[in-house]
Amino acid sequence: MDVRDVSGMIYRVGRKGVSRATRDDWVDMALAAFGCIPEVGSLFKTIIKPLRKYRKEVGAAAAGGNVMIEAMLGKSKGAAIKFLKTFQWAQNTQLAISTAMSALDNCVQLLGYLSTSHWWLPSDLQHLARDMKPQVEAVRGPLKAGIAQGAKALQDLIEDMLGEDALWAAKKIAVAAGTGANTAARHNHKPGNTHPHSANAQFKSSTTSSDKKSKGVDAKAKTKERDSPGKGKEHKPVDDSHRQSSDGGTAPVKNTSRPIRELLSEIKFGPRGLVGEHMADYYHMDHVLKKTGDWPHDNIHGKWRSKYPRIVGPDSKHKRPTELVPEDLAKVTLSGVDTIWQTDATTYQFIEAKFSESIYSLHARLKRNTGNGTIPKAPASLNDRQLMLWTLLGEPKKGTQMSKEWITNSVKDKTMQNPANLKNRWVYLMLGTPAASNPFVTKTHPQSNLKLTAAPGVMDHLEAILELIGSGDHYNIKLHDKHKPTHGITDTFDRFEIDKIETGRKLALTSQPKKTGAEKDEKPKTSPSPRAKAEKRKGT
C-alpha cells in the first residue's frame, strides 16, 4: 500500500508534466517515498505529514512549532519530539530515492505490459497505457532531484518549527543517537508482510551523510588491523560442563570504538542483526562443528560440501548460513530459532545470535525493560552473566527464548524435540565496541565474568555491509570475501545458564501479585511501541 502511494505520485507528476510540477508535488512525492521506509515510515506518516498539513492550514503566525508539536503530543504521539530531533535526513532521503526508483521501474514495466494487446485487455486501457508510458519515463531523470528538493523542504519546515535553540539541542541529541541510541530507526516486520522493496530499501541505505564523514570513516578504516581467526574454547554439544564461552580468537582486539561507532551510526537495525546472525553461523561452523569451508562463503547459490552438517531451519527457505544480502533481512525478524543445524540423521543444534553496539546499551535496555514491565525484575542473586541473559532473552507467550519449552513450542519436528537435542542450545553475543568496565556487576557478585571485548572481525563486517550497500552490487563475491577471514564472537551462553534464567523467570512471574479487575481498569490500555514488540518477539 505504501508503494502504491509512490506509484500514484509518479503517475500524477507524469500526467502533469515534470516542468509543471510544483514544490508541493515534490514534497508529496518525498512524503510518499519516506512512508515506504520500514524503519521510519509509520512515524513519518503520523508525525511529519500531519505537521505539514496543520502548518499549511493555520499558518506560521497562528501557531508556532512548539505549540503544534505539543498539540500532537496531546494526541498520544509521544515519540514526535524524539523522532524529529534524531531523524537522519541525508541517509533516509537516499533510502526514499531508492524506493521511488524501484517503484518507477515497476510502473514502466507495468505500462509496457499493458501497452501490448491481450485478449482480456480493453483497447482504451491499452491506448491509455501506451500514452502514459513516455510521460512516466520522463519522470526518471528529475525524480532524484525532486525527492531531494521535497525532503529539504520538509527538513526546513521542521527546523523552523523547532526553532534555532531547539535545533542546536536536536543536533546534540542526534550525535548521541548516532552511537546506537536512536530508537526511531528500529522496526518491526512481520514475515508475511515483508515486501521485496522493503528489504532492498533498507539494505540500500546511504553509506554517508556527507563527503567529509565518508572520508573520515575510510581514513580510519585503512589504519585498522585484522584480527587473527584464532581458536576459542571448544563446545561439546551434549557435554555437561556448566559453562562454555569463547572469545572467538586469541589475538588482542584493537581499541577501534571510534570508527566502529561511526559505522554503527550509518547502519540500521536490520543490517546490524544481519551481521550478528551471519557471524554466529560461520563461527559455529568453523569453531564448533570444525567444518570450515563446508559452505562457500556468501554464495547464496552454493552447495554444501557434505551431507552433514547442514542448516535445516528455522524455516523451509533458509537452508544455508545467513549472508549479507537483502533477502536475508527478512530472516532477522522471524520469530523462532535463528539457526538450526543438523549434524547427523537425528542430531540437531540450536543457535541464537545477539548483536549489540555495546555492553552499556544492553545494561540500559535491562533497566528500561524491567522498569516498564516488558520483562520481570531480575532477582538480586544473579551474577553479571545471568543478568546479561536476563536482558537478552525475550519472553513471548511460548516461554523464555531458547529454553527447552520455547524450543519445543518453536519446532514441529519430533526428533528435534528429543531431550538429547535440547541439550544443544547456545546463545552467541557479539559486541560492536569494547568496554572499559562492566555495568552488570553487582554488590552481591562483584567479580566480572562477562567478556567485554568487541567480537573479532566485527569491524570487517560493518565495513563490508556499508561497502555492499554503497556499491549496490550486493552479490559480488569479491566484496564479500573481504570480510571472510574472521567470524568471531564476544561471549557464549550455554544451556545451563539459559535454563537458570528460565527457572528464575517463572519464579518471578508466579511471585508477582495478580491484579484485580478494578486495578486492571485503572489505566487505559496502550499499544506497545514497534521497538517493544520487536524486543519481546526477538529478545534483541
Side-chain angles (χ1 to χ4, degrees):
M1 297 298 286
D2 292 330
V3 175
R4 178 207 64 178
D5 294 339
V6 178
S7 303
M9 282 304 307
I10 289 172
Y11 287 124
R12 184 173 116 185
V13 172
R15 292 293 294 271
K16 189 174 187 177
V18 171
S19 61
R20 291 187 290 274
T22 65
R23 185 169 179 264
D24 280 349
D25 291 326
W26 293 118
V27 170
D28 289 339
M29 179 78 81
L31 280 169
F34 278 123
C36 293
I37 301 173
E39 308 86 34
V40 300
S42 59
L43 288 172
F44 211 96
K45 287 178 287 187
T46 59
I47 294 174
I48 294 184
K49 192 171 182 178
L51 281 174
R52 175 174 175 255
K53 181 180 178 182
Y54 188 17
R55 189 59 170 258
K56 288 179 68 176
E57 290 176 351
V58 303
N66 290 336
V67 174
M68 293 169 62
I69 295 173
E70 288 300 325
M72 292 192 68
L73 293 175
K75 295 179 181 178
S76 300
K77 293 184 174 67
I81 294 287
K82 187 173 184 179
F83 176 65
L84 295 177
K85 288 182 176 181
T86 60
F87 190 75
Q88 298 177 355
W89 286 97
Q91 182 173 345
N92 285 288
T93 297
Q94 292 301 314
L95 276 171
I97 289 172
S98 175
T99 302
M101 295 303 291
S102 297
L104 176 63
D105 291 339
N106 288 337
C107 291
V108 172
Q109 185 177 357
L110 174 63
L111 291 173
Y113 182 73
L114 295 178
S115 297
T116 58
S117 178
H118 302 281
W119 65 267
W120 48 265
L121 183 66
S123 58
D124 56 343
L125 182 58
Q126 178 187 347
H127 295 149
L128 176 63
R130 187 180 300 167
D131 293 339
M132 287 187 64
K133 185 179 178 184
Q135 298 172 11
V136 171
E137 286 181 319
V139 177
R140 185 180 302 278
L143 185 60
K144 293 182 180 180
I147 291 179
Q149 176 187 337
K152 184 63 169 64
L154 289 171
Q155 183 179 4
D156 290 342
L157 170 68
I158 297 303
E159 290 181 357
D160 180 57
M161 291 172 62
L162 288 175
E164 290 188 1
D165 290 341
L167 179 60
W168 177 85
K171 288 180 178 177
K172 290 287 186 181
I173 295 173
V175 171
T179 66
N182 186 356
T183 58
R186 310 229 180 225
H187 66 284
N188 179 18
H189 281 313
K190 292 182 180 179
N193 295 336
T194 302
H195 192 282
H197 294 308
S198 299
N200 282 286
Q202 187 186 4
F203 199 82
K204 294 178 181 177
S205 61
S206 171
T207 59
T208 59
S209 57
S210 68
D211 290 339
K212 182 177 180 181
K213 184 174 182 180
S214 175
K215 291 176 182 177
V217 175
D218 290 342
K220 289 168 184 171
K222 289 179 181 178
T223 64
K224 70 176 184 64
E225 295 181 22
R226 289 186 179 273
D227 296 300
S228 169
K231 290 185 179 181
K233 297 177 183 178
E234 307 305 332
H235 292 289
K236 296 179 180 179
V238 295
D239 192 4
D240 288 340
S241 60
H242 284 264
R243 180 177 162 192
Q244 298 167 332
S245 64
S246 171
D247 57 10
T250 57
V253 179
K254 299 297 181 183
N255 186 0
T256 56
S257 60
R258 171 172 281 185
I260 288 180
R261 286 196 180 103
E262 291 189 19
L263 291 170
L264 285 169
S265 70
E266 299 180 37
I267 300 175
K268 293 299 183 183
F269 173 62
R272 291 188 195 188
L274 193 66
V275 166
E277 292 194 15
H278 168 83
M279 292 180 69
D281 283 350
Y282 277 93
Y283 172 84
H284 194 77
M285 180 166 55
D286 296 347
H287 293 270
V288 180
L289 300 174
K290 299 294 186 180
K291 292 291 184 178
T292 300
D294 256 32
W295 178 268
H297 182 263
D298 269 348
N299 183 353
I300 62 173
H301 302 297
K303 294 183 179 179
W304 289 98
R305 180 179 293 177
S306 53
K307 185 175 182 180
Y308 301 112
R310 62 195 304 112
I311 290 174
V312 295
D315 56 24
S316 59
K317 294 181 180 179
H318 298 89
K319 295 187 176 181
R320 55 169 173 75
T322 301
E323 309 292 6
L324 307 186
V325 292
E327 54 262 51
D328 281 10
L329 280 174
K331 180 178 180 290
V332 175
T333 57
L334 287 175
S335 177
V337 186
D338 281 346
T339 305
I340 302 174
W341 288 88
Q342 185 175 10
T343 58
D344 60 40
T346 59
T347 305
Y348 297 88
Q349 299 179 2
F350 306 98
I351 306 301
E352 180 69 21
K354 302 294 185 183
F355 178 88
S356 180
E357 54 269 20
S358 73
I359 196 172
Y360 304 115
S361 62
L362 287 172
H363 188 256
R365 181 193 303 171
L366 173 66
K367 295 176 66 177
R368 181 178 65 252
N369 287 348
T370 53
N372 63 24
T374 303
I375 59 175
K377 187 175 181 180
S381 60
L382 298 187
N383 62 29
D384 59 336
R385 291 181 60 83
Q386 294 160 352
L387 278 173
M388 174 62 81
L389 265 188
W390 195 276
T391 306
L392 291 174
L393 301 183
E395 193 167 7
K397 294 180 180 178
K398 54 187 178 183
T400 298
Q401 193 178 27
M402 291 300 286
S403 66
K404 289 183 286 187
E405 179 185 4
W406 184 84
I407 294 287
T408 302
N409 290 330
S410 298
V411 299
K412 297 179 181 179
D413 191 305
K414 296 298 182 183
T415 306
M416 290 184 184
Q417 298 174 4
N418 287 343
N421 285 324
L422 293 179
K423 294 181 179 181
N424 305 329
R425 292 172 284 129
W426 296 279
V427 174
Y428 291 141
L429 172 63
M430 284 140 286
L431 297 178
T433 58
S437 60
N438 184 354
F440 285 90
V441 296
T442 63
K443 292 180 179 180
T444 308
H445 295 280
Q447 183 68 33
S448 178
N449 296 305
L450 276 171
K451 290 185 170 57
L452 307 179
T453 58
V458 69
M459 183 73 170
D460 294 337
H461 284 78
L462 294 175
E463 288 178 342
I465 202 166
L466 274 181
E467 187 172 0
L468 290 164
I469 290 170
S471 69
D473 194 2
H474 308 143
Y475 307 97
N476 187 331
I477 297 300
K478 290 184 179 179
L479 292 182
H480 283 283
D481 281 348
K482 290 183 179 181
H483 65 273
K484 182 178 180 179
T486 308
H487 299 90
I489 61 173
T490 298
D491 217 334
T492 305
F493 302 89
D494 64 15
R495 63 185 175 97
F496 297 100
E497 294 175 293
I498 296 169
D499 290 343
K500 186 173 182 64
I501 298 305
E502 164 73 350
T503 302
R505 286 276 178 86
K506 287 183 175 179
L507 289 173
L509 289 172
T510 55
S511 63
Q512 288 179 351
K514 293 184 178 180
K515 292 185 178 181
T516 64
E519 289 174 331
K520 291 179 181 179
D521 294 335
E522 283 181 1
K523 294 183 179 180
K525 292 183 178 179
T526 57
S527 299
S529 66
R531 180 179 182 179
K533 291 179 181 178
E535 287 180 351
K536 187 173 182 180
R537 185 181 70 254
K538 285 286 293 176
T540 57

